[in-house]
């Protein structure tokens, strides 16, 4: 029995355009736990126990095929559209039908017949055609039977699972490869031509069986889901050894998504529709039972094609999306950042006949922005064909980026002139004034002059420079090296190769000190000729880029050096330390040109850098960061040489909201930019516009743990020459992994995983070409990721301790890693 007509849903705040019940079928028996199938214009499902029903979306007429004597338990369409084949399986036989021939037989008044390709195989849970439609994989009990699609021949029997096999998929780019999942909670990789088991995974979940499987051809990954609502993603790339790329908890992602939609819905107002589930998600009535999210279906989602005319939908990175069908609704998962992009709950739509689904199938391709969804009821004997408007579903929920084009997006590049009341304008005015002698502590009155009225007095030892430190380190500076360094400082930046391979070849290793000393921070100069290192033993070292010589050693801090930063002209180096001081060093000298002492800061200075093309210094201290204007003067008065002539003035302090401490800060110094990025111990990211002098955006709960590093593609010839193209993204690192953010929309575009669960990244760097991300780790390895992949492409071993810092050279494709035991390693392509 069937009921026709379109039944569009509209209840409360739910949009009537989101989902529409196109057709409802009533069966004599429940068809809840069966494999359903959807193709471009057809839906296939069992009806009345042993009938196969094919519903054509174009004619809205069902085609009923008879040939089974027992209940049909699995249905699947062929891979090719012409001729379109469909396979149905029951306990006693497996039949392949040619839909064109069957339709023609019915029109001629004849009874259509299919080809029986298997008999008495047992309880079949899943069937799947091979890519060429020549073979059919039949999952019956613990076995997988490879059958010919043309006659009754068993080509291979795959035996190895310890419980019923629930799904199997063919690998399209590897000949004769099949992947299967089972109720034994493992997945296996087979060569179905030879019957050989290629790989067997461990047990993925303690108690819940694996129910569904999808192979992502573009990223060469397998995605499997269990009855508890967990998703696993594994890499099938050669050499990756089937490693786990990500583990997604759908319940947590759903809660996070609903909270985001509810908060944004309140801001948008009446024009924004939100699901009732999202509003009541955190207010579950007492005594109610939380529903599980069994993963009944995983299918590709034609997400981006629905938004071709939208400006901000298409990311610069290629992103895949897929549907998750559960008993309570449909979810859309972003395969790049592993987050929910949309959620449709059946119970939010009163006109839908089914509230809890037992089985689910959905079309891969969208037609006019709509997809067909076939579901069976878990408790009733009904089957429904739904039409889901993908664009309408996303529009009612994705307020953050669909409406972002109506707002002014962030720009790293300064696109307007300085405001008159801007902190930057005030600081620059102070800098432009010629410093007076009074400002720098040098008086011009006669009584303060030397007795003979000369600046220099030629007497024995009178003008000799006093010993500044008790023990001065040996700098190994020869005259030729000093001359070479000065010449290098004047050279222009080198051109970084546009196309380069990742630096994965080990070149050399050095120890920075005689004793084991942690290297707290490392940074290349803008021309890539020098490498600065801040050590836990209070020293700052400068090496040349190939780590063959030590060019300078700076001593003076009383605590571990937290950060080092180069000036744009490569003449100065700023360092911040645990001793609550900041020092600016002239690269060619040993004495600091500027010291800001403990009296200036109540807490440790975590980070410091030059900003606005060396016009300012940014530093973070506690829950705020400081904007400082400065003037550096290394000349000395022979009578008062201990008094520094450099000055530094506080322009403004910027507090980060609702945090105890700023854990990282990042800003561009190679071109004019008003944007400063901060991360706090409250797991939030905050964007400041220093032209306006205020916070302009906040990303709450950017990670599940505190962000300890923000990294931009800065300090390179690329960022100076093409800032528009290479400074659109920022990368953040926390204990839960690495994320890539689009600075224009403040959306997470990709999440990078692949480390062992107990090994967290210790430092990150972005290559100047913008193609690679390097990460340190406490498992004594460094990892290199490609921007278009969520798992690492190379693992650099051979370190003797935790890799706590990494950095790319801005002028050549080379990577330097720093370890906890004080060693630097250099890697080349």
């Amino acid at each position: 029995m069937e009921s026709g007509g379109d039944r569009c849903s509209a209840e409360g705040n739910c949009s009537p355009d989101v989902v529409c019940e196109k057709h409802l079928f009533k069966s004599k028996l429940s068809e809840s736990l069966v494999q359903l199938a959807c193709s471009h214009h057809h839906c296939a499902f069992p009806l009345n126990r042993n009938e196969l029903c094919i519903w054509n979306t174009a004619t809205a007429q069902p085609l009923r095929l008879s040939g089974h004597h027992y209940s049909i338990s699995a249905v699947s369409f062929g891979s090719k559209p012409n001729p379109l084949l469909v396979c149905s399986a029951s306990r006693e036989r497996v039949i392949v039908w040619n839909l064109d021939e069957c339709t023609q037989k019915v029109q001629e008044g004849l009874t259509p017949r299919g080809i029986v390709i298997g008999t008495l195989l047992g309880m079949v849970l899943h069937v799947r055609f091979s890519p060429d439609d020549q073979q059919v994989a039949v999952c019956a009990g613990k076995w997988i039977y490879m059958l010919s699609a043309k006659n009754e021949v068993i080509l291979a029997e795959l035996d190895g699972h310890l419980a019923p096999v629930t799904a199997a998929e063919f690998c399209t780019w590897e000949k004769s490869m099949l992947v299967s999942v089972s109720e034994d909670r493992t997945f296996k990789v087979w060569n179905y031509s030879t019957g050989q088991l290629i790989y067997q995974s461990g047990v993925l979940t303690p108690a819940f069986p694996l129910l569904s499987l999808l192979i992502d051809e573009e990223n060469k990954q397998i995605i499997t889901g269990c009855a508890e609502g967990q998703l696993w993603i594994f890499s099938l790339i050669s050499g990756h050894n089937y490693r786990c790329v990500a583990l997604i908890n759908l319940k947590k992602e759903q809660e996070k998504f609903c909270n985001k939609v509810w908060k944004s819905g309140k801001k948008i107002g009446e024009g924004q529709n939100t699901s009732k589930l999202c509003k009541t998600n955190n207010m579950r009535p007492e005594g109610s039972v939380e529903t599980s999210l069994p993963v009944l279906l995983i299918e590709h989602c034609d997400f981006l094609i629905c938004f071709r005319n939208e400006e901000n939908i298409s990311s610069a990175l290629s992103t895949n999306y897929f549907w998750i069908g559960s008993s309570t609704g449909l979810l859309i998962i972003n395969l790049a950042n592993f987050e929910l992009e949309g959620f449709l709950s059946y119970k939010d739509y009163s006109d839908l006949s089914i509230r809890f689904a037992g089985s689910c199938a959905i079309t891969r391709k969208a037609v006019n922005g709509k997809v067909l969804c076939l579901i069976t009821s878990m408790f009733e004997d009904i089957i429904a064909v739904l039409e889901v408007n993908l664009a309408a579903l996303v529009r009612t929920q994705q307020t953050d980026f669909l409406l972002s084009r109506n707002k002014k997006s962030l720009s790293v590049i300064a696109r307007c002139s300085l405001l008159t009341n801007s902190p930057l304008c005030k600081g620059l005015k102070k800098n432009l004034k010629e410093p007076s002698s009074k400002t720098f502590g040098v008086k011009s009155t006669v009584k303060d002059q030397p007795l003979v009225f000369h600046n220099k007095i030629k007497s024995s030892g009178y003008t000799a420079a006093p010993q500044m430190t008790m023990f001065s380190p040996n700098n190994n500076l020869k005259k030729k090296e000093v001359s070479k360094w000065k010449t290098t400082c004047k050279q222009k930046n080198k051109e970084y190769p546009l196309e380069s391979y990742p630096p994965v070849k080990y070149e050399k290793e050095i120890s920075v000190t005689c004793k084991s000393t942690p290297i707290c921070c490392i940074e290349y100069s803008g021309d890539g000729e020098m490498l600065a290192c801040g050590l836990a033993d209070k020293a700052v070292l400068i090496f040349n880029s190939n780590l063959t010589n030590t060019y300078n050693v700076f001593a003076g801090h009383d605590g571990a050096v937290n950060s080092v930063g180069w000036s744009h002209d490569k003449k100065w180096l700023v360092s911040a330390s645990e001793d609550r001081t900041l020092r600016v060093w002239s690269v060619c000298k040993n004495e600091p040109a500027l010291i800001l002492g403990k009296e200036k800061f109540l807490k440790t200075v975590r980070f410091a850098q030059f900003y606005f093309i060396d016009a300012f210094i940014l530093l973070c201290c506690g829950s705020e960061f400081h904007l400082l204007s400065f003037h550096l003067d290394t000349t000395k008065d022979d009578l008062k040489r201990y008094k520094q002539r450099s000055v530094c003035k506080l322009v403004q302090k910027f507090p980060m909201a609702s945090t105890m401490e700023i854990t990282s800060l990042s800003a561009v110094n190679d071109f004019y930019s008003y944007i400063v990025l901060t991360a706090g111990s409250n797991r939030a990211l905050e964007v400041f516009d220093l032209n306006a002098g205020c916070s302009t955006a906040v990303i709450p709960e950017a990670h599940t743990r505190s962000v300890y590093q923000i990294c931009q593609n800065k300090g390179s010839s690329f960022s100076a020459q093409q800032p528009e193209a290479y400074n659109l993204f920022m990368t953040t690192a926390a204990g839960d992994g690495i994320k890539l953010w689009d600075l224009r929309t403040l959306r997470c575009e990709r999440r990078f995983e692949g480390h062992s669960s107990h090994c967290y990244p210790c430092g990150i760097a972005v290559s100047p070409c913008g193609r690679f991300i390097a990460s340190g780790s406490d498992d004594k390895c460094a990892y290199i990721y490609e921007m278009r992949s969520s798992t690492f492409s190379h693992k650099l071993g051979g370190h003797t301790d935790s890799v706590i810092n990494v950095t790319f050279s801005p002028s050549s494709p080379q990577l330097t890693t720093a370890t906890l035991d004080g060693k630097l390693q250099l890697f080349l392509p």
Side-chain angles (χ1 to χ4, degrees):
M1 183 178 178
E2 58 190 80
S3 60
D6 295 357
R7 304 171 61 191
C8 294
S9 305
E11 180 192 7
N13 289 329
C14 296
S15 172
D17 300 326
V18 172
V19 61
C20 178
E21 189 173 284
K22 300 291 292 183
H23 219 84
L24 183 68
F25 295 87
K26 293 186 178 181
S27 179
K28 296 180 180 178
L29 297 174
S30 174
E31 312 289 354
S32 61
L33 302 176
V34 296
Q35 179 192 4
L36 309 177
C38 285
S39 71
H40 195 57
H41 293 293
H42 297 86
C43 296
F45 52 91
L47 190 66
N48 301 327
R49 193 173 66 89
N50 59 358
E51 282 186 352
L52 176 62
C53 183
I54 311 293
W55 192 73
N56 190 321
T57 59
T59 62
Q61 294 295 324
L63 172 66
R64 298 190 178 187
L65 305 175
S66 300
H68 292 276
H69 300 292
Y70 289 83
S71 299
I72 299 175
S73 55
V75 181
S76 178
F77 281 106
S79 304
K80 295 183 177 181
N82 190 21
L84 182 60
L85 304 179
V86 62
C87 178
S88 59
S90 63
R91 178 183 296 272
E92 94 288 358
R93 62 179 59 179
V94 180
I95 304 177
V96 172
W97 311 81
N98 186 318
L99 287 191
D100 292 337
E101 294 180 358
C102 292
T103 303
Q104 185 177 357
K105 291 284 188 182
V106 171
Q107 292 175 350
E108 295 174 355
L110 303 176
T111 302
R113 299 293 180 187
I115 303 173
V116 177
I117 62 172
T119 55
L120 302 177
L121 299 180
M123 182 62 184
V124 178
L125 296 181
H126 190 90
V127 293
R128 183 66 67 197
F129 278 93
S130 62
D132 58 3
D133 283 351
Q134 297 299 308
Q135 301 179 56
V136 178
V138 179
C139 304
K142 304 176 185 179
W143 294 73
I144 304 172
Y145 297 94
M146 300 302 303
L147 307 181
S148 170
K150 297 180 178 180
N151 46 47
E152 189 174 355
V153 177
I154 298 179
L155 303 176
E157 298 180 4
L158 308 180
D159 178 24
H161 281 291
L162 303 178
V165 182
T166 53
E169 294 288 340
F170 288 89
C171 184
T172 56
W173 67 90
E174 289 286 349
K175 185 178 179 181
S176 303
M177 179 182 285
L178 181 80
V179 182
S180 61
V181 295
S182 166
E183 291 182 6
D184 63 9
R185 299 159 291 161
T186 68
F187 76 88
K188 298 183 189 296
V189 182
W190 309 84
N191 184 322
Y192 60 83
S193 296
T194 63
Q196 179 186 2
L197 176 63
I198 301 174
Y199 176 81
Q200 174 178 326
S201 75
V203 176
L204 301 183
T205 173
F208 296 90
L210 301 178
L211 301 179
S212 53
L213 177 66
L214 175 72
I215 293 183
D216 179 17
E217 295 90 351
E218 184 171 339
N219 294 297
K220 295 185 177 180
Q221 297 173 341
I222 61 173
I223 308 164
T224 182
C226 74
E228 192 188 15
Q230 302 272 3
L231 280 179
W232 287 266
I233 302 177
F234 295 91
S235 176
L236 288 178
I237 297 176
S238 178
H240 284 192
N241 299 320
Y242 307 96
R243 63 170 175 252
C244 182
V245 175
L247 171 60
I248 306 173
N249 188 321
L250 290 178
K251 291 181 182 179
K252 291 183 178 180
E253 291 299 328
Q254 178 185 321
E255 290 176 3
K256 185 170 67 174
F257 175 78
C258 288
N259 288 334
K260 181 179 70 173
V261 172
W262 172 233
K263 290 177 183 179
S264 61
K266 290 193 293 187
K267 293 179 183 178
I268 299 301
E270 296 179 359
Q272 181 64 31
N273 297 320
T274 53
S275 169
K276 293 187 297 181
L277 177 68
C278 296
K279 295 181 179 180
T280 60
N281 186 67
N282 294 327
M283 297 177 290
R284 193 157 47 91
E286 185 177 355
S288 64
V289 178
E290 182 180 4
T291 57
S292 61
L293 283 173
V295 183
L296 306 176
L297 165 79
I298 309 173
E299 184 57 271
H300 289 277
C301 178
D302 201 6
F303 188 82
L304 292 180
I305 199 171
C306 302
F307 305 98
R308 281 180 174 175
N309 297 326
E310 298 290 344
E311 296 176 5
N312 289 328
I313 285 293
S314 296
S315 169
L317 300 175
S318 61
T319 305
N320 289 341
Y321 299 81
F322 54 91
W323 290 100
I324 300 294
S326 72
S327 58
T328 57
L330 299 173
L331 303 91
I332 303 175
I333 293 285
N334 186 325
L335 196 56
N337 58 24
F338 312 127
E339 295 180 356
L340 252 66
E341 300 287 357
F343 175 50
L344 186 150
S345 176
Y346 300 138
K347 67 179 182 180
D348 285 348
Y349 299 87
S350 61
D351 286 353
L352 294 185
S353 304
I354 298 176
R355 301 300 177 92
F356 292 95
S359 301
C360 179
I362 198 165
T363 54
R364 173 178 293 202
K365 293 291 184 180
V367 179
N368 298 324
K370 299 177 180 180
V371 295
L372 285 180
C373 177
L374 180 65
I375 57 175
T376 63
S377 175
M378 183 178 293
F379 306 113
E380 301 178 71
D381 304 332
I382 53 177
I383 303 109
V385 179
L386 309 180
E387 185 181 69
V388 180
N389 189 324
L390 182 56
L393 172 63
V394 177
R395 285 181 188 279
T396 60
Q397 298 172 348
Q398 291 289 356
T399 60
D400 55 347
F401 68 96
L402 281 175
L403 300 179
S404 62
R405 63 193 182 104
N406 298 324
K407 302 182 290 184
K408 186 177 180 180
S409 60
L410 289 173
S411 173
V412 180
I413 308 164
R415 298 189 180 278
C416 60
S417 58
L418 284 172
L419 303 175
T420 55
N421 59 345
S422 169
L424 299 176
C425 188
K426 296 176 183 178
L428 289 173
K429 286 180 180 179
K430 291 179 182 179
N431 265 348
L432 291 174
K433 293 182 179 179
E434 192 67 28
S436 63
S437 59
K438 183 177 180 181
T439 304
F440 297 101
V442 180
K443 299 180 181 179
S444 59
T445 56
V446 174
K447 65 179 181 179
D448 288 333
Q449 292 286 350
L451 192 59
V452 293
F453 298 96
H454 292 291
N455 288 332
K456 293 185 179 181
I457 303 172
K458 295 182 179 180
S459 60
S460 178
Y462 186 76
T463 59
Q467 184 75 12
M468 294 294 292
T469 56
M470 187 70 69
F471 302 101
S472 180
N474 182 15
N475 299 329
N476 297 324
L477 283 176
K478 300 178 181 179
K479 291 184 178 180
K480 292 182 179 180
E481 292 175 345
V482 174
S483 176
K484 181 181 177 182
W485 163 246
K486 291 181 178 179
T487 305
T488 303
C489 289
K490 298 178 182 179
Q491 292 178 352
K492 294 182 179 180
N493 288 355
K494 295 180 180 180
E495 290 285 338
Y496 194 95
L498 286 171
E499 295 294 333
S500 61
Y501 293 100
V504 297
K505 178 186 175 184
Y506 170 79
E507 183 68 16
K508 67 180 304 182
E509 178 185 85
I510 65 168
S511 297
V512 295
T513 58
C514 298
K515 297 181 179 180
S516 177
T517 303
I519 303 174
C520 301
C521 50
I522 54 176
E523 184 172 326
Y524 275 102
S525 59
D527 56 6
E529 296 291 333
M530 294 291 133
L531 177 70
C533 304
L535 308 183
D537 69 354
K538 314 171 187 177
V540 177
L541 308 181
I542 295 181
F543 297 90
N544 61 355
S545 59
N546 56 6
L547 304 181
T548 55
N549 292 313
T550 305
Y551 266 73
N552 215 337
V553 179
F554 302 122
H557 282 295
D558 291 329
V561 180
N562 291 325
S563 75
V564 290
W566 290 89
S567 64
H568 181 68
D569 58 12
K570 298 96 181 172
K571 295 179 180 179
W572 309 96
L573 193 70
V574 60
S575 61
S577 170
E578 288 286 340
D579 61 3
R580 306 204 320 266
T581 66
L582 177 141
R583 294 173 183 249
V584 178
W585 312 84
S586 173
V587 175
C588 298
K589 298 183 179 180
N590 297 102
E591 300 174 4
L594 174 65
I595 302 176
L596 294 183
K598 300 178 181 178
E599 68 279 358
K600 298 286 185 181
F601 311 109
L602 299 178
K603 295 184 178 181
T604 300
V605 181
R606 293 292 178 194
F607 182 84
Q609 72 160 81
F610 291 98
Y611 173 61
F612 217 66
I613 313 185
D614 298 344
F616 302 95
I617 291 176
L618 291 173
L619 65 89
C620 52
C621 178
S623 61
E624 57 190 12
F625 71 89
H626 300 188
L627 177 68
L628 306 175
S629 64
F630 64 96
H631 175 83
L632 300 177
D633 188 352
T634 58
T635 61
K636 295 291 183 180
D637 187 332
D638 289 330
L639 297 182
K640 298 180 180 180
R641 62 182 300 110
Y642 286 100
K643 192 164 186 176
Q644 70 177 18
R645 302 183 60 137
S646 302
V647 294
C648 187
K649 292 185 178 181
L650 175 66
V651 178
Q652 188 171 328
K653 295 181 180 180
F654 297 87
M656 187 175 175
S658 305
T659 188
M660 295 293 294
E661 184 178 26
I662 293 178
T663 55
S664 184
L665 179 144
S666 179
V668 176
N669 187 43
D670 286 273
F671 54 86
Y672 291 117
S673 173
Y674 304 142
I675 299 299
V676 175
L677 310 171
T678 60
S681 56
N682 61 343
R683 301 173 295 170
L685 298 174
E686 191 162 358
V687 183
F688 290 84
D689 183 352
L690 295 200
N691 189 25
C694 63
S695 171
T696 185
V698 178
I699 307 176
E701 298 182 359
H703 286 260
T704 58
R705 303 188 183 185
S706 296
V707 177
Y708 54 73
Q709 187 172 353
I710 302 176
C711 188
Q712 289 176 270
N713 185 12
K714 58 182 181 178
S716 67
S717 57
F718 273 175
S719 62
Q721 296 168 4
Q722 301 177 358
E724 185 95 38
Y726 292 97
N727 289 275
L728 302 177
F729 299 96
M730 69 172 172
T731 310
T732 58
D736 61 349
I738 304 170
K739 290 185 177 183
L740 182 70
W741 303 81
D742 189 333
L743 285 175
R744 297 164 297 180
T745 58
L746 295 180
R747 274 177 48 83
C748 176
E749 294 295 338
R750 186 170 293 278
R751 194 165 84 194
F752 301 92
E753 297 192 3
H755 288 237
S756 301
S757 59
H758 61 284
C759 298
Y760 298 129
C762 297
I764 58 172
V766 180
S767 67
C769 63
R771 293 175 53 202
F772 307 109
I773 293 177
S775 167
S777 176
D778 60 4
D779 63 353
K780 302 181 182 180
C781 293
Y783 296 85
I784 292 183
Y785 298 83
E786 293 190 18
M787 285 292 188
R788 296 180 180 272
S789 176
S790 296
T791 185
F792 61 89
S793 59
H794 297 87
K795 181 178 180 180
L796 310 181
H799 300 87
T800 54
D801 209 333
S802 299
V803 181
I804 55 178
N805 279 289
V806 292
T807 183
F808 285 99
S809 169
S811 61
S812 60
Q814 67 181 45
L815 173 72
T816 300
T817 61
T819 60
L820 195 61
D821 59 355
K823 293 181 180 179
L824 294 173
Q825 282 194 9
L826 181 65
F827 294 88
L828 299 177

